[in-house]
Amino acid sequence: MLIPILIGLYIIIALLMVVSLLLNGVRPSKTLAWLLAIFTIPVAGALLYILFGRNRRKSKMFSLKNQFNPLDELENAHCHSEISANKQKITSLINNTSKCPVTCLNDLELLKDGKNTFESIFEALEEAKEHIHLQYYIFEDGILADKLLEVFERKVAENVTVRLLYDGIGSYSLSKKYLKRLKQIGVETAQFLPFKFGRFLSALNYRNHRKIIVIDNKVGFTGGINISDKYLKGDPALGKWHDTHLKIEGEAVDYLNRIFVGDWYLASENKVDIAAFKVYKAPQKGTSLQIVPSGPDDDFDVMEQAYFSIINSAEKYLYIVNPYIIPNHAILQALITAALSGVDVRILMSSSTDIKLVDWCVRAYYESYLKAGIKIYLYDDGFLHSKVMLCDDEIASIGTANLDNRSLQQNYEAQVFVYDAALCKRMKSDFLKDCEKSIVLTDYEKYKKRPWIKKLAQGFAKLLSPLL
């Protein structure tokens, strides 16, 4: 008697999921895939859908942020970036989807790897007079965390407000002892979608992948670097950990701070009066840039649209550095179309990644790249964790977003789009130097003949690409 009841219950649940898919599904192919999973893999298919398949843009779970979105309240003067007409539409796209216009009164410093980045961060933290805001996907115990604790203790004693926001999954290893010490010295902390049973199924797949520091609304840092000692000591398996970060001074810092304040409210339900913060501007026109925040509660696929537009705008070259390139159909076709149109498209990534299944999936797309004439460079002097896109000496994108479904649709990300020829040329030079030190793949026919066991593993991993 129990078995028929359970079967009937599952059928009812499955039908409710079907209704949800039909009402909220965006891509027909994705909707069909979930329908097949639900009805061909009993129980497991339904659980996978709950974890990975639901459309969070219409979920009440994220309604807090919608009630308090400080970016909606901005009244900031626009300025025009000095880029070609066909790329101006990118700035309009970002402004319309993210409500972040181009700002020009900024000083920008490119920071490479952990040593330089943390030296600059700690130097800036020591100058804090009013507040320090930090949010990280990964915040781990270790040398860096202990050093930050010392700085926090001094600054709180100087009446500086310190707020730390960390992701519930990415920073799961952060010890209770460390958190207790933060509380004792007066640091305000909040955990983004914590690992709790009641919210496990609804929140597991939606993480805050941002890395932001804002000091007195005057100095900001963002990019790919987390609070982890591997950026100083390297990784036992992968070697030195390479990454790219930015130091921003000027009016754009206010946008970074507003992103933090919105996330802080979503995690803690405590409002911070952003209007109380003074907006600092560089004394004269400097680097033009836009901050691009994206997340599962956006009305549009903000990051995917931004990347897609850059790729389509490329006329001379498109250079990409990214450890996790698992393109969806739109991004893949854009890359292939650019290469077949005569654009010099190059992809630089590590020769291996930190997750084997992801490595198989990344390599599953090599054959399509090579067939279209895209050059692949495999960097083997450590692990490249940078998320960089360079286009035509006009646009440089640096930040947290990978080229995979998780970053484009599920995670909270922050990317900086810089419109500065000098920076683009400098980063292009660094890119080409790294390419010279890498293994280059250009022979499509040779790669096509790789062992069948590798093809099988990559094909299996590719099936899971929407989840990786």
Side-chain angles (χ1 to χ4, degrees), residues 217-231:
N217 216 40
K218 188 176 184 179
V219 181
F221 295 87
T222 190
I225 295 180
N226 290 289
I227 302 298
S228 171
D229 287 354
K230 62 190 173 188
Y231 284 102

Side-chain angles (χ1 to χ4, degrees), residues 111 116-126 136 148 213 215 221 227 245:
L111 301 170
N116 293 330
T117 299
F118 287 113
E119 284 178 356
S120 184
I121 286 174
F122 281 108
E123 181 180 343
L125 289 173
E126 294 292 352
Y136 278 92
L148 282 171
I213 295 179
I215 300 159
F221 295 87
I227 302 298
H245 223 67

Side-chain angles (χ1 to χ4, degrees), residues 97-141:
T97 57
S98 300
K99 299 179 177 63
C100 290
V102 178
T103 60
C104 298
L105 299 176
N106 304 294
D107 292 324
L108 190 71
E109 183 180 352
L110 181 69
L111 301 170
K112 297 195 69 174
D113 295 343
K115 183 176 183 295
N116 293 330
T117 299
F118 287 113
E119 284 178 356
S120 184
I121 286 174
F122 281 108
E123 181 180 343
L125 289 173
E126 294 292 352
E127 299 299 318
K129 298 293 189 295
E130 298 173 1
H131 70 266
I132 297 172
H133 290 164
L134 304 91
Q135 71 175 98
Y136 278 92
Y137 174 64
I138 296 176
F139 195 109
E140 295 178 341
D141 290 83

Side-chain angles (χ1 to χ4, degrees), residues 280-328:
Y280 293 86
K281 299 182 179 182
Q284 58 187 6
K285 185 175 180 180
T287 304
S288 300
L289 61 88
Q290 275 177 298
I291 309 292
V292 187
S294 67
D297 52 357
D298 292 325
D299 292 328
F300 303 97
D301 294 329
V302 173
M303 198 62 67
E304 180 179 345
Q305 290 176 344
Y307 276 153
F308 182 82
S309 295
I310 290 181
I311 297 167
N312 281 337
S313 75
E315 295 177 336
K316 299 174 183 177
Y317 75 84
L318 180 77
Y319 296 159
I320 299 172
V321 188
N322 207 296
Y324 309 117
I325 304 180
I326 306 175
N328 59 27

Side-chain angles (χ1 to χ4, degrees), residues 11 23 87 97 103 118 124 149-150 153 196 205 220 231 261 275 310 325 343 363 399 422 437 443 453:
I11 292 173
L23 290 174
K87 291 182 174 61
T97 57
T103 60
F118 287 113
L149 192 65
E150 293 174 4
E153 188 167 15
K196 293 181 179 179
N205 202 40
Y231 284 102
V261 166
I310 290 181
I325 304 180
V343 177
R363 291 174 182 271
K437 298 185 290 186
D443 193 332
I453 191 67

